[in-house]
Amino acid sequence: MSSAPERSRSVSPAEGAADRIRAGILAGDFAPGQRLIESELCERYGCSRGAVRAALVDLEHEGLVERIANRGARVRAVGVEEAVAITEVRMVLEGLCAAKAAERVTEVQVAELRDIGRRMREAVAHGEVVVYSGLNTLLHDRLREIGRQPVASDLLANLLARNVRRQFKLALRPGRPQVSLPQHLAIIDAICARDPAAADRAAREHVADVIVAMREMDG
């Protein structure tokens, strides 16, 4: 699961407020369905009322927030069917990014990916679920960086943000690391072999299994 991309330019007050509120939502500081009260957000993040209001509009467009007439804004809850639909789109984009990474990976990056795979195996062997979850996020982030497909990366960041709580819940599900580890290793192997078709296929198969697990978790 990815954080918001860093900007090289200066940001407006509204963008700064959106970044802070988004980070709070992704970190679980606000629960699904929780009201987002402008005055409280201003005090919490040191932003003006106008910046917070504009930020909430931006976050509504991203699908993280919903605004209800006469009731203000709240964190948008994502149901299982919408989560599956989001993940189906993610499956295509993850496959594209993996294929691009296989085309563009350098020897230094091959060594880095192999090291991430080694650390993932060790985390599973020692039952370190949170460590494994962090390495999972690191791997997917690095694949997008190596693939250098900025449009796909931006779309994935938005999709992951909208589904981050469900993804985190799934990552901590007992037995999930043992299932996803060989899938991640297959992605790494295909990219390190510089085989775009195999990388695309491995990434899609991994995300397809995520969809199955989501349905089982909510079943």
Side-chain angles (χ1 to χ4, degrees):
M1 287 156 283
S2 302
S3 56
E6 295 182 0
R7 296 182 178 92
S8 57
R9 60 178 178 81
S10 60
V11 300
S12 70
E15 289 173 324
D19 286 344
R20 292 181 178 89
I21 298 168
R22 183 189 300 106
I25 292 172
L26 301 187
D29 296 339
F30 305 101
Q34 181 175 340
R35 287 188 63 202
L36 298 170
I37 300 170
E38 291 180 4
S39 60
E40 294 179 359
L41 294 173
C42 291
E43 182 176 354
R44 180 171 187 150
Y45 296 115
C47 303
S48 70
R49 193 71 170 254
V52 166
R53 189 173 294 119
L56 292 176
V57 171
D58 289 344
L59 295 174
E60 181 182 20
H61 293 158
E62 293 180 18
L64 290 178
V65 167
E66 60 182 345
R67 299 171 67 84
I68 302 172
N70 302 319
R71 297 184 63 184
R74 68 183 183 186
V75 179
R76 189 167 178 272
V78 176
V80 64
E81 291 306 322
E82 183 178 359
V84 167
I86 289 169
T87 310
E88 286 173 342
V89 177
R90 179 190 154 204
M91 178 168 58
V92 177
L93 295 173
E94 292 280 13
L96 172 62
C97 288
K100 290 294 184 183
E103 293 175 0
R104 296 168 175 169
V105 69
T106 67
E107 287 300 325
V108 171
Q109 291 165 340
V110 164
E112 179 187 1
L113 294 178
R114 292 293 190 195
D115 182 64
I116 292 174
R118 177 188 60 78
R119 291 159 62 193
M120 294 179 90
R121 284 194 297 270
E122 289 179 354
V124 170
H126 292 97
E128 297 172 330
V129 177
V130 175
V131 172
Y132 179 80
S133 179
L135 290 168
N136 181 354
T137 299
L138 173 63
L139 174 62
H140 285 281
D141 285 348
R142 288 300 291 131
L143 295 187
R144 288 191 284 276
E145 291 166 4
I146 293 168
R148 301 198 305 277
Q149 220 296 357
V151 175
S153 293
D154 287 348
L155 290 170
L156 277 168
N158 177 264
L159 293 172
L160 289 165
R162 291 169 62 182
N163 216 16
V164 66
R165 292 180 68 88
R166 193 175 296 271
Q167 287 285 137
F168 186 70
K169 182 180 176 183
L170 176 61
L172 298 182
R173 188 182 185 192
R176 181 61 195 168
Q178 288 82 357
V179 173
S180 67
L181 175 62
Q183 298 168 359
H184 286 120
L185 296 179
I187 296 170
I188 291 172
D189 286 344
I191 291 171
C192 292
R194 297 182 171 84
D195 187 336
D200 182 13
R201 183 169 58 253
R204 287 176 182 248
E205 288 175 354
H206 166 58
V207 181
D209 185 68
V210 169
I211 292 172
V212 172
M214 279 184 177
R215 290 196 181 278
E216 291 175 348
M217 187 171 60
D218 285 74

